[in-house]
Each structure stands twice: as structure tokens, then as C-alpha cells.
């Protein structure tokens, strides 16, 4: 929210010496996030004056239209003679009042003005546009044309309010009241201890039977609807300069007088309004839920298909607006351009000031991807009591500026409701903050916020209508604490017991991160949000457990409304982005939580903040959360080893992902089984299944290998990309990371090599397991060092696996016969189980 300091001073008598920086410091101390203070016109220097165009000469022979003008600037140039100026704009005519910058002036951006020869003429200054003066968009895209009554020679810097300070405030989701000058002025008045001139304190006539007919069919979605009518608006009326400038300073573009007035009042009071062309509204204005399949063309010219949950404004024809979001084109106020193009002007308007349900408006805005200034305010909470005052303020401005007449009829449809009351102990803020504020301070601060407070030790607090975020005692405590100053809270450093340090799980995660980084992987941290469409892209079966997701009630993006069940979507997205930006040799890893829904849905309890939660409280909170196991995943693409004078290099392949899994298992002290597998996104012939043994039963905890070509195409990934993912918690469960000192034997090792021929489909891991079991306790280690395939020598569909077996006894030197016997036993068992034969 942009807050011009000049506008803020209308409602709070700030000291004349206070700058925007001073106000920024006060508001930050009060808990508002003031991001910047913009100094408008800081580098602007006159003379900048009002001039009247006397003559216009069209210059010929140039690629673009050029005009040589004489402009009366009064005595501003010191001579009273007309000023000769060359200008390329065409949206002004003889007799128009314009803004002229004379030689010696400096425009925003340090642009100095001097007399210069151009297009065969000497130009003594410039006729200015709003962009050249740093005013923002005024909708004309050309020269500023001032009202005819503007005095020639008048200082345009003062007239156009070009010098000001604007505070840019990042308003949090719970402080919708600060999306208005009124709300920020209230916070400023509290911060300075000054009175507030509330712009919403107006004399408002009561409702009567003569107002425009309104029917609210959904009081839960719209609990208040005020309608006022103004007739006889002058078609020639234009928004005055001060109104346009204030809209520009807060970041809005002036459009037409009726629309500008509603936007102005919205920025001033925080109440969104809408003006309907009364001549285009047919019958009673209604508020209801949309019928499934109904359509509406909104003011942005887009036809939208409505959802049954959308709250709409209707007349006898059907929907004429998306309630709280955007009006419809059927009842649009005619602007100047429409009138100039042959359309009829709007002379009678119906003003709508309503209060809509926050959740309904938020869902409609997201469903239609249509965020507006109105929806932003309704989503965060609007003061329902301000609707009548906002309508009255709009009526008053239209009568004043457009010569309209306010009809006596006042429509106000209100659903009965009681003010929100909170009972809180007077010392509750003391307990929360650990500071003794005292009852008087607590009561005073709550009253400054706008609360009505009664009681002694136990306070009964009635929350003001503009603060819907105050719902329980802790919210009231927060108000007291922030107004007393967060910086005044005592700072106490925690004192953890000595010797604890990191947990075993934390140490494991750090070791794994260091090990993968040492292996050449780069850590990538990704958001945990996914689209459910990604599971189709990954090729998961319809009944795959990974498709059961936890959906967010209020997602950051409607395109990613679920929490991830696998790390691959985020990592593969990072791989795609980096590859698209020219980094083709990639090795990324991530460790993070995945989320799995529980069979039984529970609601989390609200924990108290004035005491430590009990073990039962924590257990109940955990039971309401989804399962959150930690996974580790890697992705690879391009070269694993770079080519150079040292060699030809090597592309990353499925074996690298398997080795990454083994690296993780070694850090966890777990024995990882690797066998042929087939699952989801992996290539069926190049996929390894990763297993561990838990309580004597084998359990699959992940997969590694090359991704399926179809998945690569779906996700836009480079060819032959590989990936690995496994359940780190399951690996930790079976692992033993106790440091083991290596055993050093004084007896020599006996090495025996064996080459076995098996069918090509037999996994090497099965052969290795048989060799290991058959060799017995004398076997120290086994290593596969060669895989050979040759149909002529081995036969069709056969392969040779060569293993190095190391034998050693702990108490003696093995004889050749003992080592050979162990080798023969291993080969025999491998032959029985896998059909292996010794290679000749």
C-alpha cells in the first residue's frame, strides 16, 4: 500500500519537521513493514509553469509529425513574450492549457533543459507529459492538458503536487485495515500519540423505502449491502487535478470521474465500491451464488464461466458483476474515450458499498485468476461498518465534482450480527511477553486500537469492526506488545544443557550432504508444492500410493495445490531450468521431507502461548499432521567426467545413481541391496530396486537408474537423464553409524578369481549373494571386476561375470587347498542357484 505523506497529514497533525523517514521509523516500531520511502520530485527544479497554446505550425519533411508551437507563459520567462517550443505530441490544440518547462530547469532523472536547435527551429523549453514529470500513467499517453480555468504562468510544481514523499507498506494478510489511508493514519496517530480525524465519521442518512431495490439471497456471503443513487452527472465533468494526483501517487490510473471517485474513496476508507450505470441496470440488484455454467464478461473484456461457489451481483438479466472482484461490462460507466467514439455518457449512477465473505472472495479471485484492488481488501478483511460512510463520501464527491443530485432514497440490507467480544485476563499480555505492563497500560493500548474495554482483573474486550483479525486473547496480547515496542522486550539467550549438540539424525543428514557434495553433487532446495498432473508426467500407475497427496486449503498457487510425496518433481524441475540456461552437465541432490496423508483426518488444536505445551498437546498436534518421512534424491544429466588431455571423459549413467545410493547407505551404516526393478518414471531395463532388510524381511526403500524416454519428453528433460530416490528414515532405522575401527590381520590374504557364465537376464547381485554364502566365513570380500558378453564365445543370451574373492582366517595362514575349497564351494552354490558355470 502506497501512502502519500501529504494525504496522511490530512488526518493526523504530524509535526511539520517530520519526514517520511521519521514516519517510517515510527510505523516499523509499531509493527508495520514500511519497505521504502519514495521522494517524488526530489531532483525536480523549475521553472515549470502553466502555459496556453497560441499557435501550432505543422513542420513538413520529417519522418514523424513535428509541431512548432508558441505558448503564452505569462511573466514566467521574464519577458512576457510567447515561448517558442518544438513538440511531437498531437493530443493538444490551440487554446489548451499545458505544462511548460523552461530553460534552466531540471526534470526527474537529472535531465537539464536548455534552448536547443532541432528540426530547423530553436526550441526554448518543452511541453511536458506526465511520464516526463514522473507522475505515472494518467491514461492519455501524451501531453498534460489542464482544465481551461487554470491560470497561465502558475507554478506547475505546486499545482500538480509534484513534490511529496510516499511510504510503500507491505501489508500482511491479517492487517486489511492498513490497505487504506484511514487505517495507516490510525496507526500513525497511535505511534505519535496524536488524535485521529477519522474520515469515516460522516453524517449518514438512515435507510428508507425509496432506495434502489436490492435483494440479498445469500446473507452468509453478503452481510451488508448499501446502495445510493446520484443523478444528473455532467458529461463534461472531469476529475480534478488533486484527485488524479492522489490516485497516481497510490499507484492507480485515473479513468473517469465516477470511477476515479470510487477508487479514491476505496483508498481513503478501505471500502471497495462499484458504480453502475443506472440506465444499463435492469430491475432489482441481487446478490446470490452463481448457477453452474453461467457466464459473464468482466470489465477487462474477458468472458468467464462461473462456478457454483462464485458470489455474483445480478439484475433481471443475470450476473452483472463478480461480487468483490470485478464488475461486468454490461453496466460499465462510460469513460471519455467511449463518449468520443460515439457512445452515450453516463449521467445517473448507482453506488454499491457492500461487505462480502472473505473466503468466498478469495476463492473466486483465485479460481478466475483475477486479483483486483477490491478482492485484495475483501480477502484480508474490510470494515463492514464503513460501507454506509463510504457510500455517503462517494455521493458527496460526485455531487461536488460532477454537479450531480443525490436522491433521497437509501438502501441498506444488513444481516443481524453481534460485535465480537473477547474475555482476557488483565495480566495475560504480561505472561506472554514476560514483561509487567500493568492493567492501565493494557487497557489504554487496547482502547487506542479501537476496543471497548470493561472489567478489572478479567477484561471484557469488544473488538472494533475494522479489526477482524482480533479473535482471541493472544491477538489482544500481541496488540499491547507491539504498541509498547518489540524492541523493549527483554532479550534472554537460551541455555541448552552442555554436551548434547546435534541429534543422531541431524549428524546423519549432514554427513550425507557432505558425502554427496564430495561426490560432485550440488544441493538444490525446492519448494514442497506440486501439481497432481506431475504424477501423470512421471508415469505413475493410477493406484500408486504416491498419488495420495495432502491438499492445501489455501495454496500459494492454484497450479500447485498439493504437498509433494516424492522429491523428483522439484529436482527434475531444477534440472530442466539449469539445462535450459546452458548448464548441460548437472548433478543435483536434495534431502527433504515428503508428505503422506493419514487414514484418519484430525483437526490440530490451538496451543496456548503463555505456557509450554504438555506431552499430550504435542502428541495431539503430531497426530493431526501428515506423515513426513525424509527422503534423499539425486538427478544426473550430461557428462559425469569431463573430457580433456587426461582422457575422453564419461557421460553420467544409471550406475552413477546406484553408486550415489550406496554412498548414502555407507554414511548410514546400512547394508543396501541392489537388484533389477521396474517402477514409474524409470526405464524398465535400466532401473535398480534399492532394498534393506527390516526384522528379517526385505523392504524396498527406493529406486535408481535412467529415466524413461517418455518421462524425459513429458518434462522437457535432456536425453539419458538419471535419478535416484530412497527413504532416508528407513535407511537410518536399519543402519548403525557407530564408528567401527578397521580390523588389521597379521595373516596374509589369499586371492582367488572366478569367471562364471550365466544367462544374460540373471542379476549379478544374485550370483554375488550365492558366492558369498557358499564361500563361508573365510571370505573377507568379493568384487565384480568384469562383465563380458560375446555370442561367438559364450553363446547367445549368455554373459560372463568375473569376481575377485579374498579369503583370510583370523588365526592362521590359509593353505592353497583351504582357499581353493572355499572357492569351489562358492562356485557350486552359485551353479545350483543361478545356473552359473565356470568359464573355460
Amino acid at each position: 500500500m502506497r501512502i502519500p505523506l501529504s494525504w496522511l497529514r490530512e488526518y493526523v497533525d504530524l509535526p511539520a519537521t517530520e519526514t517520511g523517514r521519521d514516519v517510517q521509523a515510527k510505523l516499523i516500531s509499531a509493527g508495520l513493514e514500511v519497505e521504502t520511502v519514495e521522494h517524488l520530485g526530489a531532483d525536480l527544479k523549475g521553472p515549470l509553469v502553466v502555459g496556453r497554446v497560441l499557435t501550432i505550425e505543422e513542420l513538413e519533411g520529417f519522418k514523424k509529425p513535428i509541431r512548432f508551437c508558441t505558448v503564452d507563459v505569462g511573466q514566467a520567462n521574464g519577458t512576457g513574450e510567447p515561448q517558442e517550443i518544438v513538440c511531437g505530441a498531437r493530443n493538444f490544440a490551440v487554446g489548451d492549457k499545458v505544462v511548460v518547462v523552461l530553460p534552466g530547469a531540471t526534470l526527474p532523472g537529472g535531465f537539464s533543459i536548455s534552448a536547443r536547435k532541432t528540426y530547423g527551429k530553436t526550441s526554448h523549453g518543452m511541453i511536458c507529459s506526465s511520464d516526463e514529470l514522473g507522475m505515472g500513467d494518467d491514461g492519455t499517453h501524451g501531453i498534460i492538458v489542464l482544465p481551461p480555468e487554470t491560470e497561465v504562468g502558475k507554478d506547475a510544481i505546486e499545482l500538480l503536487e509534484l513534490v511529496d514523499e510516499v511510504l510503500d507498506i507491505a501489508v500482511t494478510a491479517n492487517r486489511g485495515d492498513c490497505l487504506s489511508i484511514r487505517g495507516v493514519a490510525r496507526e500513525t496517530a497511535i505511534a505519535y500519540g496524536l488524535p485521529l480525524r477519522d474520515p469515516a465519521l460522516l453524517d449518514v442518512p438512515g435507510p428508507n423505502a425509496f432506495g434502489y431495490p436490492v435483494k440479498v439471497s445469500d446473507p452468509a456471503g453478503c452481510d451488508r449491502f448499501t446502495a445510493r443513487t446520484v443523478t444528473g452527472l455532467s458529461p463534461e465533468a472531469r476529475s480534478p487535478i488533486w484527485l488524479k494526483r492522489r490516485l497516481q501517487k497510490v499507484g492507480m490510473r485515473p479513468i473517469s470521474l465516477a470511477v476515479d471517485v470510487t477508487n479514491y474513496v476505496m483508498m481513503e476508507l478501505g471500502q471497495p465500491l462499484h458504480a453502475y450505470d443506472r440506465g444499463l441496470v435492469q430491475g432489482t440488484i441481487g446478490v446470490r451464488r452463481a448457477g453452474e455454467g453461467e457466464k459473464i464478461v468482466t470489465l477487462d473484456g474477458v468472458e468467464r464461466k462461473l462456478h457454483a461457489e462464485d458470489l455474483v451481483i445480478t439484475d433481471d438479466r443475470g450476473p452483472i458483476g463478480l461480487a468483490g472482484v470485478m464488475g461486468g461490462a454490461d453496466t460499465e460507466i462510460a469513460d471519455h474515450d467511449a463518449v468520443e467514439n460515439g457512445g452515450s455518457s453516463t449521467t445517473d449512477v448507482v453506488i454499491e458499498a457492500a461487505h462480502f465473505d472473505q473466503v468466498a472472495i478469495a476463492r473466486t479471485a483465485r479460481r478466475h485468476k483475477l486479483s483486483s484492488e477490491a478482492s485484495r481488501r475483501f480477502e484480508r478483511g474490510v470494515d463492514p461498518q464503513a460501507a454506509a460512510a463510504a457510500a455517503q463520501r462517494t455521493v458527496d464527491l460526485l455531487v461536488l465534482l460532477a454537479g450531480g443530485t443525490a436522491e433521497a432514497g437509501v438502501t441498506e440490507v444488513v444481516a443481524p450480527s453481534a460485535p465480537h467480544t473477547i474475555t482476557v485476563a488483565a495480566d495475560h499480555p504480561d505472561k506472554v511477553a514476560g514483561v509487567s505492563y500493568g492493567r492501565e497500560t493494557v487497557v489504554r493500548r487496547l482502547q487506542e486500537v479501537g476496543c471497548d474495554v470493561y472489567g478489572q482483573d478479567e477484561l471484557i474486550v469488544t473488538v472494533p469492526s475494522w479489526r477482524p483479525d482480533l479473535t482471541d486473547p493472544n491477538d489482544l496480547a500481541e496488540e499491547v506488545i507491539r504498541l509498547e515496542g518489540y524492541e523493549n522486550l527483554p532479550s534472554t539467550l537460551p541455555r541448552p544443557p552442555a554436551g548434547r549438540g546435534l541429534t543422531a539424525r541431524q549428524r546423519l543428514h549432514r554427513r550425507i550432504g557432505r558425502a554427496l557434495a564430495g561426490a560432485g553433487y550440488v544441493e538444490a532446495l525446492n519448494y514442497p508444492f506440486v501439481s497432481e498432473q506431475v504424477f501423470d508426467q512421471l508415469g505413475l500407475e493410477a493406484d500408486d500410493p504416491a498419488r495420495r497427496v495432502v491438499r492445501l486449503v489455501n495454496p500459494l498457487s492454484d497450479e500447485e495445490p498439493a504437498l509433494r510425496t516424492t522429491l523428483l518433481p522439484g529436482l527434475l524441475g531444477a534440472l530442466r531450468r539449469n539445462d535450459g540456461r546452458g548448464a548441460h552437465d548437472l548433478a543435483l541432490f536434495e534431502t527433504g521431507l515428503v508428505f503422506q496423508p493419514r487414514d484418519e483426518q484430525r483437526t490440530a488444536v490451538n496451543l496456548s502461548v503463555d505456557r509450554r505445551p504438555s506431552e499430550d498437546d504435542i502428541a495431539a498436534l503430531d497426530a493431526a499432521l501428515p506423515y513426513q518421512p525424509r527422503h534423499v534424491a539425486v538427478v544426473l544429466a550430461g557428462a559425469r567426467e569431463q573430457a580433456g588431455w587426461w582422457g575422453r571423459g564419461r557421460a553420467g549413467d544409471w550406475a552413477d545413481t546406484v553408486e550415489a545410493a550406496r554412498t548414502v547407505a555407507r554414511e548410514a551404516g546400512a547394508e543396501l541391496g541392489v537388484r533389477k526393478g521396474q517402477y514409474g518414471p524409470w526405464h524398465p531395463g535400466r532401473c535398480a530396486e534399492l532394498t534393506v532388510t527390516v526384522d528379517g524381511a526385505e523392504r524396498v526403500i527406493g529406486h535408481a537408474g535412467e529415466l524413461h524416454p517418455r518421462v524425459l519428453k513429458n518434462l522437457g528433460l535432456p536425453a539419458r537423464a538419471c535419478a535416484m530416490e530412497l527413504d532416508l528414515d528407513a535407511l537410518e532405522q536399519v543402519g548403525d553409524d557407530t564408528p567401527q575401527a578397521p580390523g588389521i590381520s597379521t595373516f596374509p590374504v589369499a586371492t582367488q578369481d572366478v569367471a562364471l557364465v550365466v544367462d544374460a537376464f540373471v542379476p549379478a547381485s544374485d550370483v554375488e549373494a550365492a558366492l558369498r554364502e557358499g564361500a563361508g566365513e573365510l571370505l573377507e570380500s568379493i568384487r565384480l571386476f568384469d562383465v563380458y558378453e560375446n555370442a561367438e564365445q559364450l553363446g547367445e543370451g549368455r554373459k560372463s561375470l568375473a569376481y575377485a574373492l579374498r579369503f583370510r582366517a583370523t588365526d592362521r595362514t590359509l593353505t592353497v587347498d583351504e582357499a581353493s575349497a572355499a572357492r569351489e564351494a562358492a562356485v557350486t552354490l552359485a551353479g545350483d542357484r543361478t545356473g552359473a558355470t565356470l568359464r573355460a
Side-chain angles (χ1 to χ4, degrees):
M1 178 69 188
R2 292 169 57 85
I3 305 293
L5 190 60
S6 59
W7 198 350
L8 191 63
R9 289 182 183 274
E10 285 196 8
Y11 308 124
V12 183
D13 289 326
L14 294 172
T17 57
E18 288 294 286
T19 66
R21 295 290 184 190
D22 298 328
V23 177
Q24 177 189 31
K26 285 283 190 179
L27 292 179
I28 289 176
S29 178
L32 295 185
E33 186 178 344
V34 185
E35 293 186 328
T36 60
V37 178
E38 183 180 353
H39 296 267
L40 301 181
D43 51 356
L44 177 64
K45 186 181 73 171
L48 188 72
V49 298
V50 176
R52 182 170 64 89
V53 180
L54 300 177
T55 65
I56 298 177
E57 177 188 350
E58 301 288 345
L59 301 182
E60 304 293 339
F62 301 102
K63 293 182 178 180
K64 60 180 181 178
I66 298 296
R67 311 168 97 187
F68 181 66
C69 310
T70 59
V71 185
D72 177 14
V73 295
Q75 298 298 318
N77 57 5
T79 64
E81 296 294 323
Q83 201 78 4
E84 296 179 339
I85 299 175
V86 175
C87 183
R90 308 191 65 78
N91 68 311
F92 64 96
V94 172
D96 282 345
K97 302 290 181 65
V98 295
V99 178
V100 179
V101 57
L102 301 177
T106 302
L107 293 182
F111 183 62
S112 299
I113 303 300
S114 61
R116 65 187 183 95
K117 190 169 183 179
T118 179
Y119 297 103
K121 301 286 186 178
T122 300
S123 182
H124 298 272
M126 285 175 54
I127 302 176
C128 297
S129 68
S130 60
D131 287 338
E132 291 165 338
L133 298 179
M135 295 170 57
D137 185 10
D138 63 356
T140 64
H141 304 292
I143 294 302
I144 301 171
V145 178
L146 300 171
E149 64 272 14
T150 310
E151 179 186 350
V152 172
K154 184 178 178 63
D155 183 3
I157 295 179
E158 179 182 352
L159 175 69
L160 299 177
E161 302 178 16
L162 297 179
V163 179
D164 202 350
E165 292 182 275
V166 179
L167 287 73
D168 194 351
I169 303 176
V171 180
T172 55
N174 66 316
R175 292 303 304 272
D177 60 304
C178 289
L179 286 173
S180 66
I181 303 294
R182 179 196 184 200
V184 176
R186 183 182 296 107
E187 291 295 319
T188 305
I190 295 173
Y192 279 91
L194 297 172
L196 169 70
R197 289 189 291 275
D198 191 341
L201 294 180
L202 302 175
D203 291 330
V204 180
N208 53 51
F210 310 109
Y212 197 94
V214 173
K215 179 181 179 181
V216 178
S217 302
D218 190 341
C222 176
D223 58 6
R224 185 178 294 268
F225 194 107
T226 300
R228 300 289 298 276
T229 304
V230 181
T231 59
L233 301 181
S234 171
E236 305 301 324
R238 300 291 184 269
S239 299
I241 293 174
W242 64 267
L243 179 59
K244 289 184 177 180
R245 287 298 294 134
R246 286 192 169 178
L247 289 177
Q248 288 174 325
K249 288 177 184 179
V250 298
M252 302 195 75
R253 179 174 65 87
I255 298 174
S256 64
L257 178 57
V259 176
D260 292 348
V261 166
T262 58
N263 286 336
Y264 177 85
V265 175
M266 176 178 67
M267 291 297 175
E268 183 180 56
L269 302 182
Q271 168 66 52
L273 301 111
H274 190 71
Y276 301 93
D277 187 327
R278 182 175 178 178
L280 299 178
V281 179
Q282 298 181 11
T284 301
I285 291 178
V287 183
R288 62 171 172 81
R289 300 286 174 170
E292 192 67 44
E294 282 188 307
K295 296 181 179 179
I296 183 176
V297 178
T298 46
L299 289 175
D300 56 0
V302 177
E303 182 180 79
R304 303 180 185 278
K305 186 176 180 180
L306 300 178
H307 188 275
E309 292 185 4
D310 290 336
L311 200 62
V312 293
I313 310 297
T314 65
D315 66 2
D316 290 351
R317 295 167 296 178
I320 59 173
L322 275 175
V325 181
M326 184 174 287
D330 289 344
T331 56
E332 181 180 7
I333 298 291
D335 60 14
H336 306 147
D337 294 337
V339 175
E340 291 175 0
N341 292 330
S344 59
S345 62
T346 298
T347 58
D348 302 338
V349 298
V350 178
I351 306 300
E352 166 208 307
H355 183 261
F356 300 110
D357 177 63
Q358 293 178 239
V359 175
I361 301 305
R363 289 178 175 173
T364 296
R366 293 195 178 190
R367 187 179 298 117
H368 294 281
K369 296 180 174 61
L370 186 61
S371 179
S372 64
E373 292 289 345
S375 67
R376 287 182 61 225
R377 284 160 176 79
F378 280 122
E379 288 174 18
R380 289 160 175 79
V382 169
D383 180 6
Q385 302 294 333
Q392 182 64 46
R393 176 72 164 141
T394 304
V395 169
D396 293 343
L397 287 173
L398 289 176
V399 170
L400 175 66
L401 302 177
T405 301
E407 289 195 351
V410 177
T411 302
E412 191 164 357
V413 180
V414 181
S417 63
H420 182 54
T421 300
I422 303 172
T423 301
V424 58
D427 62 349
H428 182 67
D430 301 7
K431 294 179 179 179
V432 173
V435 176
S436 179
Y437 293 121
R439 179 188 176 280
E440 292 185 2
T441 298
V442 171
V443 172
R444 174 172 58 85
R445 288 302 190 184
L446 292 179
Q447 289 175 337
E448 288 176 346
V449 171
C451 299
D452 291 330
V453 185
Y454 303 94
Q456 292 299 317
D457 294 338
E458 187 174 76
L459 304 178
I460 300 175
V461 181
T462 302
V463 174
S465 57
W466 57 82
R467 291 300 302 275
D469 59 306
L470 303 182
T471 60
D472 56 53
N474 292 329
D475 294 329
L476 301 180
E478 182 183 5
E479 292 300 298
V480 175
I481 295 167
R482 75 175 181 88
L483 295 179
E484 284 295 304
Y486 291 122
E487 68 276 9
N488 296 323
L489 293 176
S491 177
T492 304
L493 293 176
R495 295 181 179 179
R500 290 191 177 180
L502 300 177
T503 65
R505 188 184 192 195
Q506 291 169 331
R507 290 195 299 271
L508 173 61
H509 296 164
R510 292 196 178 188
R511 288 201 311 273
I512 289 172
R514 286 194 293 267
L516 291 175
Y521 293 85
V522 176
E523 186 170 16
L525 302 178
N526 299 291
Y527 289 116
F529 313 117
V530 295
S531 165
E532 293 183 64
Q533 295 176 350
V534 77
F535 301 126
D536 295 328
Q537 296 171 325
L538 290 175
L540 299 185
E541 297 292 338
D543 58 350
D544 194 296
R547 286 183 175 270
R548 293 187 63 237
V549 296
V550 177
R551 293 179 180 83
L552 299 172
V553 175
N554 193 22
L556 293 178
S557 170
D558 289 337
E559 296 179 356
E560 295 180 328
L563 292 174
R564 66 189 179 192
T565 56
T566 166
L567 300 182
L568 290 185
L571 270 181
L572 294 177
L575 183 75
R576 180 179 60 248
R577 285 191 298 273
N578 282 275
D579 181 72
R581 295 171 184 174
H584 303 302
D585 302 325
L586 297 161
L588 308 177
F589 85 92
E590 180 178 12
T591 60
L593 302 179
V594 299
F595 305 86
Q596 301 167 354
R598 295 178 183 269
D599 296 331
E600 180 184 356
Q601 296 293 331
R602 300 185 183 182
T603 302
V605 297
N606 287 325
L607 300 180
S608 175
V609 298
D610 59 349
R611 59 179 176 81
R612 187 187 185 282
S614 67
E615 296 298 327
D616 291 341
D617 291 337
I618 296 175
L621 189 63
D622 285 339
L625 297 175
Y627 294 112
Q628 300 177 54
R630 184 173 292 272
H631 282 202
V632 59
V634 304
V635 292
L636 286 167
R640 190 73 177 108
E641 297 175 2
Q642 295 293 333
W645 58 265
W646 53 84
R648 298 174 58 183
R650 181 178 67 82
D653 60 18
W654 62 269
D656 293 297
T657 61
V658 173
E659 181 57 31
R662 288 188 169 123
T663 298
V664 172
R666 281 194 295 270
E667 294 299 327
E671 184 175 346
L672 187 69
V674 180
R675 67 187 183 198
K676 182 179 178 181
Q678 182 175 345
Y679 175 69
W682 280 277
H683 192 297
R686 297 166 187 159
C687 174
E689 203 169 61
L690 309 175
T691 64
V692 294
T693 301
V694 182
D695 297 329
E698 196 172 53
R699 173 183 170 188
V700 177
I701 64 168
H703 295 82
E706 184 178 316
L707 295 175
H708 197 288
R710 184 171 56 250
V711 173
L712 300 180
K713 181 179 179 181
N714 291 341
L715 297 175
L717 299 172
R720 308 302 292 269
C722 302
M724 178 278 292
E725 181 173 10
L726 56 78
D727 186 336
L728 194 54
D729 284 355
L731 199 65
E732 181 183 5
Q733 179 184 350
V734 300
D736 181 7
D737 61 354
T738 304
Q740 299 289 335
I744 300 175
S745 176
T746 59
F747 299 101
V749 65
T751 302
Q752 295 273 354
D753 293 344
V754 59
L756 300 177
V757 178
V758 295
D759 291 332
F761 62 82
V762 175
S765 58
D766 291 353
V767 178
E768 180 180 327
L771 289 172
R772 187 182 299 276
E773 182 179 343
E777 61 181 11
L778 294 180
L779 181 67
E780 182 179 79
S781 67
I782 182 171
R783 178 175 63 88
L784 175 67
F785 68 85
D786 183 52
V787 178
Y788 177 71
E789 295 183 11
N790 188 309
E792 293 182 1
Q793 296 185 16
L794 303 178
E796 192 69 31
R798 303 280 282 174
K799 64 182 177 182
S800 170
L801 305 176
Y803 294 88
L805 285 70
R806 292 167 57 92
F807 298 97
R808 195 193 313 256
T810 59
D811 57 350
R812 67 189 187 279
T813 299
L814 291 178
T815 65
V816 174
D817 291 340
E818 287 178 310
S820 298
R823 173 181 176 275
E824 292 302 325
V827 170
T828 300
L829 186 58
D832 293 341
R833 288 190 177 177
T834 66
T837 59
L838 280 173
R839 179 180 168 189

